[in-house]
């Protein structure tokens, strides 16, 4: 089974977005990923919850 590995860039190559959002566009999961990015940026979830929810999206 193939796995999707998400990584994040510091914004120097993709200003205003993240690698995970760009990848999610290709998978049809952009809205879900943007919501997760907002949740982690605002402190509503931490990295472990983010990773768990991304894994669930891609499973």
């Amino acid at each position: 089974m193939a796995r999707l590995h998400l990584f994040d860039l510091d914004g120097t190559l993709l200003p205003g977005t993240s690698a995970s959002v760009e990848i999610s566009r290709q998978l049809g999961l952009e809205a879900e990923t943007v919501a997760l990015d907002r949740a982690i940026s605002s402190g509503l979830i931490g990295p472990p919850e983010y990773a768990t929810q991304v894994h669930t999206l891609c499973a």
Side-chain angles (χ1 to χ4, degrees):
M1 167 174 38
R3 287 190 163 222
L4 175 64
H5 296 283
L6 297 177
F7 54 93
D8 202 7
L9 300 172
D10 63 5
T12 55
L13 299 176
L14 296 171
T17 188
S18 67
S20 57
V21 171
E22 295 303 318
I23 293 167
S24 69
R25 284 188 181 138
Q26 301 299 314
L27 300 173
L29 298 169
E30 181 179 2
E32 294 88 341
T33 306
V34 168
L36 283 174
D37 278 2
R38 286 185 182 143
I40 197 167
S41 294
S42 65
L44 295 174
I45 62 173
E49 293 87 4
Y50 181 89
T52 299
Q53 290 185 37
V54 167
H55 182 266
T56 300
L57 283 176
C58 297

